[in-house]
């Protein structure tokens, strides 16, 4: 075992450069390139620990590393490198060690020694320029020499790619990810069109590709850049929940992206950049035709002629779809995939409604079933009868109106008449709660549909329908367009679909507003429950939620008058004081009332700012999990964390909540316990997780917590909307504490202007269910 190298001489340097040789690879991820290794410095005894990202590391490899020293809580001092360069091997012994490591297929220690003895210091040049000469070595005759040459070239290609990318401003981390995704075609792909990386490599966005394109010498108004800006603008719209963008909004957004100062492009006005290129663009045309080339510039509004032309090319090539609607003066522009989803959802709804209901299920509405129907209020009974006699039904309403009671009655009545019933919800947290309140088995929609993370496809689909007679979906306001399409495709034509949810809550995180659009269409039976039960009327949480929904100020009970009250208010105007107040509430005041920290959820409107989720999570981690157990960067054993992107390979999705159960060896990977599984994360994947002691109202949707702390301050004014406050308040089961100012609450209650999501699903449902138009 090698002695550890003293590193005190490097501690003062903010950034250091080390030259040496890899002695041992402790851990390496082929997907990301993350490596933990022992590294021997040239001219020094012993070795040290290095961590970073390296493509295809080989023992004996000589490298120059640039990075900084860091102290790992569990594994001590390490050198974290962000840039590396592969250096020529400076001795025969080094070359022999390098080749003997298993780098080349068919070359072991004996053959490596023979190669070095035969060719000496000229070996690298021979492998590069005259690889057929390795046939001279005993054991490498016939076809064996070809595999040796190919292995050498692949290694060289990987190193060449990383060097090329680093020269063009791409980090070693991202370079490793690019090589993992594209392999040998990476360099050719980048040189042909660096913007292709945005669709093929996770973590590469328009800005990164744009910097690379400029470094490679692409013109600022090249076809590739124009098309990438249009794609980026559409994708950004999707991230805000839109299914399409109006054409003028898309062109304006793309023009602004193209004229940003970021990436070093010369800044011009959007109109200037576009109009200056109109003539040459029309002369150039495009492979798919001259769509949009007849447009003329308007004196009142810029006519982004070149972008219009490129958009026409994208439409011809089926990358985007343009469609007109009566409710819009201009055309809607869709990514082709989302256009297909929206059309599919409307068509499947039309098909479901067109197939008659089985009589055996319809008669259940008239069966007492031991008093199940008699126990319901009139409104609940009407909702249950509608659900039993209709192919598609929506049951909606606020808190305390008995949606859960209806759901339980429906399950019992359907099962009584022999129907095969499936219960599901969009998230694991909501599915667990659904099983608890219904007394029946429930699952996530992904699990129900047999989603395969490796193929990103569902096992149940249009060719393999679900073996069921009815599907009940709770928390249906969280259905985005993709999930709705997968569910509808998998439903048998004869099955019933019952959606239960609160349409006044925030819409789904993903694109679309499916539940609201179905209600707006007027073509799907909707039963809205409005009668608040007497027991629920005793709860200030519920009565305040209904007051907020009606546009009235909630009753604000001061903390000092908390006895017997479940909705309290603490008036505080100073953001710094609010941060401290929230930390004390979560760690001291609420635990003193009988709530353990795992039962408490902090909710705030925004990520950024002094009292956004980022800062509040740091403060809450410090008091709720102060350094116990192992560490992995900013995360600790015991931390509550949230998945922030869909990771289909791991089977975890944006918004899933779990707890860090183990911080592993070798550089800080960890395991997270989610509701349905335990998932391992390599160190380079930790950016998919964030602390979840504090969540935005959007991310809290679909969950209920015994106690919530809701932060509302005038600095959140951009996000202060009625449905946001309503959603946040209705997450609390037994206690809600609002912290902030009455003015902020008043701003939220008074702002009923919801941010519009661009969708046309309601229009398509209307058209699809018109007489004679069912297909």
């Amino acid at each position: 075992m090698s002695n550890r190298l003293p590193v005190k001489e490097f501690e003062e340097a903010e950034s250091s450069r080390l030259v040496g040789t890899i002695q041992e690879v402790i851990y390496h991820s082929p997907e990301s390139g993350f490596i933990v290794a022992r590294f021997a410095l040239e001219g020094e005894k012993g070795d040290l620990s290095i961590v970073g990202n390296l493509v295809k590391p080989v023992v004996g490899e000589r490298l120059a590393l640039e990075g900084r020293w860091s102290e790992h809580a569990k594994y001590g001092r390490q050198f974290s490198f962000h840039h590396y360069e592969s250096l020529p091997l400076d001795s025969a012994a080094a070359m022999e060690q390098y080749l003997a490591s298993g780098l080349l297929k068919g070359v072991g220690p004996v053959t490596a020694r023979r190669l070095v003895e035969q060719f000496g210091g000229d070996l690298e040049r021979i492998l590069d320029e005259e690889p057929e000469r390795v046939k001279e070595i005993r054991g490498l005759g016939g076809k064996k020499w070809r595999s040796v040459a190919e292995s050498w070239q692949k290694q060289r290609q990987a190193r060449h790619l990383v060097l090329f990318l680093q020269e063009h401003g791409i980090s070693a981390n991202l370079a490793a990810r690019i090589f993992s995704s594209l392999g040998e075609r990476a360099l050719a792909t980048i040189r042909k069109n660096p913007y292709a990386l945005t669709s093929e490599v996770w973590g590469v966005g328009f800005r990164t590709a744009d910097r690379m394109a400029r470094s490679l010498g692409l013109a600022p108004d090249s076809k590739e850049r124009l098309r990438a800006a249009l794609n980026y603008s559409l994708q950004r719209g999707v991230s805000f929940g839109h299914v399409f963008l109006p054409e003028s909004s898309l062109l304006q957004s793309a023009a602004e992206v193209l004229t940003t100062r970021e990436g070093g492009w010369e800044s011009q006005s959007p109109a200037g950049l576009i109009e200056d290129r109109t003539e040459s663009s029309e002369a150039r045309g495009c492979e798919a035709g001259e769509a949009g080339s007849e447009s003329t510039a308007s004196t009142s509004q810029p006519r982004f002629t070149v972008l219009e032309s490129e958009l026409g090319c994208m439409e011809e090539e089926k990358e985007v779809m343009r469609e007109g609607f009566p409710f819009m003066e201009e055309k809607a522009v869709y990514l082709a995939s989302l256009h297909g989803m929206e059309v599919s959802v409307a068509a499947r709804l039309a098909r479901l409604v067109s197939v008659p209901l089985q009589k055996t299920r319809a008669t259940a509405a008239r069966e007492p079933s031991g008093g199940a129907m008699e126990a319901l209020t009139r409104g609940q009974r009407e909702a249950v009868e509608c659900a039993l006699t209709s192919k598609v039904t929506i049951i909606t309403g606020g808190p305390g109106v008995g949606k859960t009671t209806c759901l339980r009655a429906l399950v019992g009545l359907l099962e009584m008449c022999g129907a095969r019933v499936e219960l599901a919800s969009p998230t694991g947290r909501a599915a667990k709660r659904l099983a608890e309140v219904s007394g029946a088995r429930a699952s996530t929609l992904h699990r129900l549909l047999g989603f395969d993370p490796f193929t990103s496809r569902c096992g149940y689909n249009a060719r393999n329908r679900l073996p069921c007679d009815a599907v009940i979906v709770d928390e249906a306001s969280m259905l985005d367009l993709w999930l709705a399409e997968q569910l509808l495709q998998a439903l048998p034509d004869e099955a019933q679909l019952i959606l239960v949810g609160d349409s006044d809550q925030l819409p789904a995180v993903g694109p679309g507003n499916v539940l609201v659009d179905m209600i707006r269409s007027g073509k799907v039976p909707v039963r809205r429950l409005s009668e608040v039960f007497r027991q629920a009327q005793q709860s200030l949480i519920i009565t305040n939620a209904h007051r907020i929904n009606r546009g009235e100020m909630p009753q604000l009970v001061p903390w000092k008058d908390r006895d017997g009250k479940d909705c309290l208010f603490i008036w505080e105007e100073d953001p710094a004081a609010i941060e401290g107040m929230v930390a004390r509430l979560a760690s001291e005041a609420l635990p003193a009332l009988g709530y353990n920290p795992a039962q408490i959820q902090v909710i705030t409107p925004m990520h950024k700012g002094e009292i956004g989720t980022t800062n509040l999570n740091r403060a809450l981690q410090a008091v709720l999990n102060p350094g116990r157990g192992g560490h992995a960067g900013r995360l600790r054993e015991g931390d509550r964390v949230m998945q922030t992107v869909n990771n289909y390979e791991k089977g975890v999705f944006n918004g899933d909540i779990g707890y860090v159960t183990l911080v592993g060896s070798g550089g800080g990977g960890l395991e997270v316990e989610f509701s349905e599984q335990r998932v391992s994360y390599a160190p380079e994947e930790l950016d998919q997780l964030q602390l979840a002691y504090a969540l935005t109202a959007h991310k809290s949707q679909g969950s209920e917590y015994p106690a919530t702390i809701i932060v509302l301050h005038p600095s959140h004014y951009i996000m202060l909307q009625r449905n946001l406050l309503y959603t946040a308040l209705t997450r609390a089961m037994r206690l809600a504490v609002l912290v902030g100012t009455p003015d902020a609450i008043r701003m939220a209650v008074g702002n009923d202007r919801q941010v519009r999501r661009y969708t046309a699903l309601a229009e398509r449902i209307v058209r699809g269910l018109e007489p004679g138009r069912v297909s």
Side-chain angles (χ1 to χ4, degrees), residues 126 179 191 193 336 351 387 507 582 730:
I126 288 172
F179 182 79
R191 283 178 167 152
N193 180 13
R351 176 61 182 166
V582 168
T730 54

Side-chain angles (χ1 to χ4, degrees), residues 647-721:
N647 188 319
Y648 297 114
E649 291 186 4
K650 295 182 184 296
V652 289
F653 304 95
N654 187 1
D656 285 354
I657 300 289
Y659 285 86
V660 178
T661 56
L662 175 69
V663 174
S665 60
L670 50 78
E671 289 184 355
V672 177
E673 184 79 40
F674 291 99
S675 61
E676 296 184 338
Q677 61 179 324
R678 177 173 288 193
V679 178
S680 297
Y681 289 82
E684 70 282 357
E685 296 174 319
L686 298 185
D687 58 356
Q688 298 180 26
L689 297 170
Q690 71 178 39
L691 291 170
Y693 300 106
L695 298 176
T696 63
H698 286 83
K699 293 296 188 181
S700 70
Q701 191 173 353
S703 297
E704 288 187 339
Y705 312 94
T708 62
I709 302 168
I710 302 168
V711 180
L712 290 167
H713 189 267
S715 62
H716 297 141
Y717 70 94
I718 295 175
M719 298 295 295
L720 292 179
Q721 297 170 354

Side-chain angles (χ1 to χ4, degrees), residues 470-528:
V471 172
I472 301 175
V473 179
D474 194 23
E475 295 290 352
S477 62
M478 299 182 69
L479 272 178
D480 64 18
L481 192 61
W482 180 86
L483 201 50
E485 188 208 15
Q486 300 304 311
L487 172 62
L488 288 166
Q489 287 289 343
L491 273 179
D493 290 345
E494 300 78 15
Q496 290 175 273
L497 175 62
I498 301 161
L499 302 178
V500 182
D502 188 345
S503 60
D504 292 319
Q505 289 186 16
L506 292 166
V509 174
N513 202 359
V514 175
L515 184 67
V516 169
D517 283 346
M518 289 175 67
I519 294 172
R520 282 181 49 240
S521 74
K523 296 294 184 179
V524 177
V526 178
R527 293 297 179 267
R528 185 179 293 274

Side-chain angles (χ1 to χ4, degrees), residues 196-208:
L197 296 177
T198 61
S199 60
E200 297 202 50
V201 182
W202 181 83
V204 178
F206 178 84
R207 302 299 184 200
T208 300

Side-chain angles (χ1 to χ4, degrees), residues 62 135 241 512 540 543 596:
R62 186 166 174 255
K135 290 189 292 184
L540 264 183
T543 56
N596 68 58

